[in-house]
Amino acid sequence: AHEAGDSKKLGIQYINDNSGTELLLDLALADHLLVHEWCGKVTLNVKLEPIYTCMNTLPKCSVSTRTPEVQALGKRLDRYVNEGQLVIRPDIFWNRYTYYWEMPVELHTHLANEAALVIIKGDLNYRRLLGDRLWPPSTPVEEAIPYFPTAFVSFRTMKSNPVVGIPADIVTKLEKEDPKWRYNGKRGTIQSVLPSTSVSK
């Protein structure tokens, strides 16, 4: 779509995780996508209220004491919000420990119709994708998560046992080298299910 000049029709959505530095980097990526016209709209799906103090709800930020670069970023983000290119969408579903196949119809339809790609952040959201089940770790991502309403990419620091999309030989190697590899926070995964191909790393 970008090459065809239709990128402004594309919507990218986040399912956000933590606030602080992580949120700043999420916003910086949103800015990059919009500045370079890789999409026409970015939506941040955030929790209606925090579960822990680090978790994302409606962001509030002041850039007056920041560096000139961050101040410029803040001004661009403010403009995107005013022009409807950056949307913050809180929903109580992100607070609840229910699995993503239990997503309300309205939210499911919203993602299916408005998101060309969903960026899913964090270990807890990953567990919700997998139903908190101990799949064989070499299970392909698209087999474990066939139900998601649109293309997605998941970013996760590994802090719990559930995992898929890891080649069997890598699993064997990790089990020998580090029995706690699934949950000690030393590793992470970037995994995606895309319309025409599936990729996991």
Side-chain angles (χ1 to χ4, degrees):
H2 182 267
E3 293 175 355
D6 295 331
S7 59
K8 290 187 177 180
K9 298 178 182 179
L10 297 179
I12 304 296
Q13 301 215 12
Y14 282 84
I15 298 175
N16 295 93
D17 186 28
N18 294 324
S19 58
T21 302
E22 183 174 333
L23 175 59
L24 176 60
L25 295 175
D26 291 342
L27 291 170
L29 177 56
D31 174 63
H32 180 84
L33 293 169
L34 292 169
V35 163
H36 295 282
E37 298 186 347
W38 287 99
C39 66
K41 180 180 177 181
V42 175
T43 301
L44 307 182
N45 291 282
V46 300
K47 296 174 179 67
L48 190 62
E49 55 191 32
I51 299 174
Y52 304 107
T53 56
C54 64
M55 288 188 164
N56 254 332
T57 57
L58 284 169
K60 298 177 182 178
C61 60
S62 172
V63 297
S64 59
T65 60
R66 305 299 181 181
T67 65
E69 293 80 8
V70 174
Q71 291 184 43
L73 171 62
K75 290 177 181 178
R76 289 195 301 274
L77 293 172
D78 187 56
R79 186 179 78 248
Y80 299 146
V81 170
N82 291 333
E83 295 177 355
Q85 289 183 281
L86 180 62
V87 176
I88 301 164
R89 194 171 192 268
D91 195 291
I92 193 62
F93 176 76
W94 310 121
N95 287 80
R96 294 172 176 158
Y97 195 74
T98 50
Y99 304 128
Y100 278 3
W101 61 74
E102 301 173 295
M103 188 179 295
V105 172
E106 179 184 359
L107 189 53
H108 187 281
T109 302
H110 162 73
L111 293 177
N113 292 342
E114 298 186 24
L117 178 71
V118 176
I119 299 170
I120 303 173
K121 303 293 296 296
D123 188 74
L124 179 57
N125 283 324
Y126 187 89
R127 290 166 60 187
R128 293 176 74 182
L129 280 171
L130 294 182
D132 222 359
R133 296 176 178 175
L134 290 178
W135 294 80
S138 58
T139 304
V141 180
E142 62 272 18
E143 289 186 16
I145 314 168
Y147 61 85
F148 202 77
T150 190
F152 72 85
V153 58
S154 168
F155 294 83
R156 170 216 190 189
T157 298
M158 298 178 69
K159 300 176 183 176
S160 59
N161 280 306
V163 65
V164 295
I166 309 296
D169 59 326
I170 300 298
V171 173
T172 300
K173 182 173 181 288
L174 288 170
E175 293 287 358
K176 291 179 180 178
E177 292 180 354
D178 183 1
K180 299 179 181 179
W181 67 275
R182 293 177 182 237
Y183 55 83
N184 60 15
K186 294 181 179 180
R187 297 169 179 84
T189 59
I190 302 173
Q191 298 176 315
S192 63
V193 175
L194 304 176
S196 59
T197 185
S198 301
V199 179
S200 63
K201 296 181 180 179

